[in-house]
Amino acid sequence: KNINEFANYPFDLGSKLPIRVARFVVDDNNYLVLVVHHIVIDYLSYQILLEDLAEIYVNIIEGNTKPTTGKRMYEENIYRGQQYLISDKKNEDLKYWKMALQDLNRQEMLPSEISSIDHYHSSYHFMSFNVEPGIKKKIDQASKAHGVTPYSIFLTVINLLQAYYSGNLDVVTGSPATGRYSISDLSVVGFLAN
């Protein structure tokens, strides 16, 4: 196998670990290739992981056996999150955000309805819905068949609908969430979004 095939080979999340590592030798150069599925690591964790690997490598080269210290463990983060969910602070935060966002609960204009960009202003419409079990099963099957998460399927459908109704093929949808709420979380490697 070459490096590209190894890096791009789909994960079988039903029976294999969501991480692969291998050493490749190309033209007498050694390459460590690490492939991690996004279900276990978020974007910010990649930088942390690479810094940790670099530190370990330097320690090995220098004959240093001291372990990397001072890192918050993923389990600690999960525990803190669970404690937050049963705390009064969660209810206070929820009340605050409901009040802060109540004025944004208006239907957003689609770009095809805008006569001039100078007159455009953003507003938002929040919508919640339940997915019927039969449809959920089909979404789960599609996501598994394509090697993506159900969220990716929903996001794709939403983007297609926005493009169709707006007449604009350039649709951008963001999901800004890191799940890192304190300085100590900055060193955690794992999937912390949401």
Side-chain angles (χ1 to χ4, degrees):
K1 288 183 179 180
N2 65 37
I3 294 175
N4 279 337
E5 287 175 355
F6 180 79
N8 293 307
Y9 190 79
F11 283 98
D12 180 0
L13 297 178
S15 62
K16 305 242 167 127
L17 290 175
I19 183 170
R20 290 193 297 268
V21 64
R23 185 181 126 232
F24 288 87
V25 179
V26 180
D27 299 329
D28 295 327
N29 293 311
N30 287 288
Y31 295 92
L32 175 69
V33 179
L34 175 68
V35 184
V36 185
H37 194 283
H38 71 89
I39 199 168
V40 294
I41 192 168
D42 60 22
Y43 179 75
L44 294 177
S45 294
Y46 281 111
Q47 185 64 36
I48 299 164
L49 187 59
L50 292 174
E51 289 170 2
D52 286 351
L53 288 172
E55 183 178 339
I56 291 167
Y57 179 75
V58 168
N59 284 338
I60 290 170
I61 295 298
E62 294 177 352
N64 220 340
T65 57
K66 73 172 184 127
T68 304
T69 59
K71 302 286 185 181
R72 176 185 284 277
M73 300 309 302
Y74 186 67
E75 293 85 1
E76 293 176 43
N77 187 275
I78 296 298
Y79 176 77
R80 278 188 336 117
Q82 290 171 337
Q83 294 303 305
Y84 172 77
L85 290 176
I86 59 173
S87 71
D88 290 337
K89 174 87 169 92
K90 183 211 69 162
N91 294 327
E92 292 169 16
D93 290 348
L94 182 62
K95 184 178 177 182
Y96 167 81
W97 284 110
K98 281 183 175 180
M99 286 183 57
L101 299 173
Q102 70 184 357
D103 292 337
L104 298 177
N105 199 7
R106 299 184 302 264
Q107 174 116 17
E108 181 171 337
M109 289 173 54
L110 295 170
S112 62
E113 299 171 323
I114 302 168
S115 58
S116 167
I117 197 69
D118 295 332
H119 298 99
Y120 178 71
H121 67 280
S122 293
S123 59
Y124 300 90
H125 178 72
F126 296 93
M127 179 178 68
S128 62
F129 58 93
N130 294 317
V131 179
E132 295 175 11
I135 293 174
K136 182 184 182 317
K137 184 176 180 181
K138 288 180 182 178
I139 290 170
D140 289 342
Q141 290 169 342
S143 63
K144 189 171 184 178
H146 294 285
V148 298
T149 62
Y151 172 78
S152 296
I153 300 287
F154 279 112
L155 190 60
T156 301
V157 170
I158 288 169
N159 285 345
L160 287 170
L161 287 171
Q162 288 181 11
Y164 176 79
Y165 284 109
S166 69
N168 186 351
L169 297 179
D170 188 20
V171 175
V172 178
T173 304
S175 300
T178 65
R180 295 167 192 269
Y181 304 109
S182 70
I183 295 295
S184 59
D185 292 337
L186 296 179
S187 63
V188 176
V189 174
F191 185 76
L192 303 181
N194 302 331

